[in-house]
Amino acid sequence: MRKTLLYSLTLLALWILLAQCFIMRNRWSDSKAYGVFKSKQVPLVIHDTLINERHLHYAVCGPDSLPTLVFIHGSPGSWMNYMKYMWDSAMRQKFRIVAIDRPGFGYSDFGKAMHLQDQCKMILPVLEKLKTNHPMFLAGHSLGGPVVVKLAADNPSLFKTIVIIAGAIDISQEAKETWRHIMNVRPLYWLLPGAFGPSNTELLYLKKDLLPLQEDFKKVTCNVLFVHGDKDTWVPIKNIAYGTKMMVHAASIQADTIPGADHQIPWKNRDRLKEILLGLQ
């Protein structure tokens, strides 16, 4: 019994240690990121700004003489999810690329999850500051989908097109997931590795945050492009029909379904997504 207890405690300690490691937090130090980008001869500038006593961390690649493409990651995630797009020569020739650590992830006060509406209040001033005379495009994956909808609703003239990639915007399509409530209680929360802790919390928030978002859809007046996989079992493709019905004042709405794609489009279908993004006008 003592050996079993010791073995169990050792495994628990290792699991908690793993939960705190940089890999599970899905982030690099700024110095490492600069080093990797330098080795690839890709320019990079990393910013950390303070908004309402909270940090917002984001990376910029490319000159402001180009149209701006902003990536908003899903849950969990970080700006690093879009490094390979930043490294791509075709993407860099067309866009200044911005990738953001959403509040609670990366180095944007890691672990402190926020409601969707509060996240947008932090992100929007940064995007307004980045605005130039060239078009700005906003792409959000998964939970980043409702984030880009809210951002476009809060400043309708800022973006030319929002791209909703496997976006979770329809509350009726959200699973109940009772286990998330259980795992959000301490000390069970501490067993969730790395970024999965704040992810679990904000996904619980999302089930409530999608309700007030219903009033924001009609405020979206820019172009809207849906990108979704027909094999997505995490966020059903029916979200496209819901968004199309709700965004009645959008300048245009288009949908690009990727056959055979699941929820992980930015990584598993990078070439196809890149092709779609390069087609933005």
Side-chain angles (χ1 to χ4, degrees):
M1 288 294 294
R2 288 181 179 179
K3 288 183 178 180
T4 301
L5 179 60
L6 180 60
Y7 181 71
S8 299
L9 290 174
T10 301
L11 286 178
L12 179 60
L14 288 172
W15 181 261
I16 293 174
L17 180 64
L18 176 65
Q20 304 307 315
C21 77
F22 274 60
I23 296 175
M24 295 305 291
R25 291 188 175 201
N26 193 23
R27 65 183 188 180
W28 284 347
S29 66
D30 289 351
S31 60
K32 181 175 180 179
Y34 275 124
V36 172
F37 273 70
K38 184 178 180 180
S39 71
K40 296 181 177 294
Q41 299 183 321
V42 175
L44 179 71
V45 180
I46 299 175
H47 299 268
D48 192 278
T49 186
L50 198 63
I51 301 175
N52 297 327
E53 300 183 351
R54 287 198 54 153
H55 291 272
L56 191 71
H57 194 258
Y58 62 99
V60 180
C61 174
D64 60 9
S65 58
L66 295 173
T68 299
L69 173 61
V70 182
F71 283 111
I72 306 292
H73 66 79
S75 187
S78 72
W79 78 264
M80 289 172 48
N81 291 163
Y82 300 98
M83 288 190 301
K84 291 186 178 180
Y85 293 88
M86 292 175 158
W87 297 342
D88 186 274
S89 59
M91 292 288 290
R92 288 191 288 111
Q93 286 175 9
K94 179 157 185 176
F95 301 111
R96 171 179 62 159
I97 302 175
V98 178
I100 296 174
D101 284 341
R102 286 195 298 100
F105 299 90
Y107 284 98
S108 294
D109 290 339
F110 180 88
K112 299 179 181 179
M114 295 182 74
H115 285 278
L116 184 151
Q117 290 77 7
D118 294 327
Q119 291 188 41
C120 293
K121 288 179 182 178
M122 288 191 63
I123 295 172
L124 189 57
V126 169
L127 300 186
E128 290 172 335
K129 185 177 179 180
L130 289 169
K131 178 64 176 174
T132 67
N133 293 326
H134 302 282
M136 179 176 283
F137 304 97
L138 183 61
H141 173 243
S142 193
L143 194 145
V147 172
V148 304
V149 169
K150 178 61 176 172
L151 289 169
D154 287 347
N155 192 330
S157 64
L158 186 58
F159 311 106
K160 184 170 184 181
T161 303
I162 58 172
V163 185
I164 302 173
I165 308 165
I169 59 176
D170 183 358
I171 191 170
S172 71
Q173 300 297 322
E174 289 295 299
K176 291 184 178 180
E177 298 179 316
T178 305
W179 64 271
R180 289 195 183 278
H181 294 274
I182 298 172
M183 294 305 299
N184 206 46
V185 177
R186 276 63 172 173
L188 293 178
Y189 175 89
W190 297 329
L191 297 178
L192 293 170
F196 288 92
S199 173
N200 186 66
T201 300
E202 73 166 3
L203 286 169
L204 284 174
Y205 289 164
L206 180 66
K207 299 179 190 308
K208 297 180 179 179
D209 294 343
L210 287 177
L211 284 171
L213 189 70
Q214 292 175 335
E215 294 301 313
D216 288 307
F217 285 104
K218 61 188 176 184
K219 301 175 186 176
V220 176
T221 58
C222 63
N223 300 310
V224 179
L225 173 59
F226 288 97
V227 181
H228 220 107
D230 62 2
K231 301 299 181 184
D232 191 339
T233 58
W234 294 0
V235 176
I237 199 169
K238 290 181 180 180
N239 277 267
I240 293 179
Y242 177 79
T244 300
K245 179 183 72 174
M246 297 295 287
M247 285 185 272
V248 293
H249 295 130
S252 69
I253 298 180
Q254 294 181 306
D256 200 319
T257 301
I258 303 178
D262 60 19
H263 190 63
Q264 302 181 63
I265 289 173
W267 309 280
K268 291 185 177 181
N269 305 93
R270 186 167 57 250
D271 289 342
R272 178 62 186 131
L273 180 58
K274 184 186 83 169
E275 181 183 358
I276 293 169
L277 295 174
L278 288 173
L280 292 171
Q281 300 293 332

